[in-house]
Amino acid sequence: MESLAEILIAACLVISGIFGIVGSWGLVRLGDSMQRLHAPTKATTLGIGAALIASMLYFGLLKGNLSFHELMITLFLFLTAPVTANFIAKAYMLHHVAKGDLPDTGRQCGWAGYDDPPETHPLD
C-alpha cells in the first residue's frame, strides 16, 4: 500500500514538473502579451495544483495527517487564476486595441470596458 502511495505521489510530482516546464517555456517563447498570458495561467496553474495534490497525498497517506491547507490553496488558485488572467487581458485590450478593431458583439451592449452597460431598471 505504501509503495502504491509513493508511486501516486511521484506521478503527481512528475505531472507537476511537466506542466511547470511547459508553462515556463510558453512564457519565454510565445510572442506577445496575449499569447504569453495562456502559458502561466493554464499550464503552470495545473502544475502547481498537481504539486499541491501530491503534498495532500503525502501527508494523508504516508504521514497519517490529513491537511486541508493544500486543498484550500488549490481551490483558491483555481478560482483566482482565471479572474486574474481576465483582468490582465482586459487591461491589455484597453491599452493596445482600438474599439474599431474589435468585431461587433451582436448584442445591445458592446465590449465591456469600451462601452457603458445598458441602463436597466430593477423592475423591468
Side-chain angles (χ1 to χ4, degrees), residues 1-13 58 61-62:
M1 179 66 184
E2 188 171 307
S3 63
L4 180 63
E6 290 174 351
I7 290 171
L8 189 60
I9 292 167
C12 286
L13 289 175
Y58 174 77
L61 297 176
L62 297 180

Side-chain angles (χ1 to χ4, degrees), residues 9-91:
I9 292 167
C12 286
L13 289 175
V14 168
I15 290 170
S16 170
I18 290 170
F19 276 115
I21 287 173
V22 168
S24 300
W25 184 255
L27 185 65
V28 171
R29 294 293 299 169
L30 293 177
D32 65 6
S33 296
M34 292 299 279
Q35 291 175 337
R36 276 188 236 138
L37 187 61
H38 289 283
T41 57
K42 293 181 178 53
T44 309
T45 301
L46 289 175
I48 292 171
L52 290 169
I53 290 171
S55 177
M56 281 191 309
L57 292 174
Y58 174 77
F59 284 108
L61 297 176
L62 297 180
K63 296 294 182 183
N65 296 330
L66 188 58
S67 172
F68 288 103
H69 295 109
E70 291 90 352
L71 179 64
M72 296 303 292
I73 293 169
T74 304
L75 289 175
F76 183 73
L77 181 70
F78 286 167
L79 289 175
T80 58
V83 174
T84 305
N86 189 22
F87 284 141
I88 292 171
K90 283 190 182 281

Side-chain angles (χ1 to χ4, degrees), residues 70-116:
E70 291 90 352
L71 179 64
M72 296 303 292
I73 293 169
T74 304
L75 289 175
F76 183 73
L77 181 70
F78 286 167
L79 289 175
T80 58
V83 174
T84 305
N86 189 22
F87 284 141
I88 292 171
K90 283 190 182 281
Y92 179 85
M93 285 178 59
L94 289 174
H95 288 283
H96 295 92
V97 179
K99 182 181 176 183
D101 295 340
L102 296 172
D104 185 28
T105 60
R107 291 189 241 162
Q108 181 185 6
C109 54
W111 286 83
Y114 290 94
D115 298 322
D116 292 331

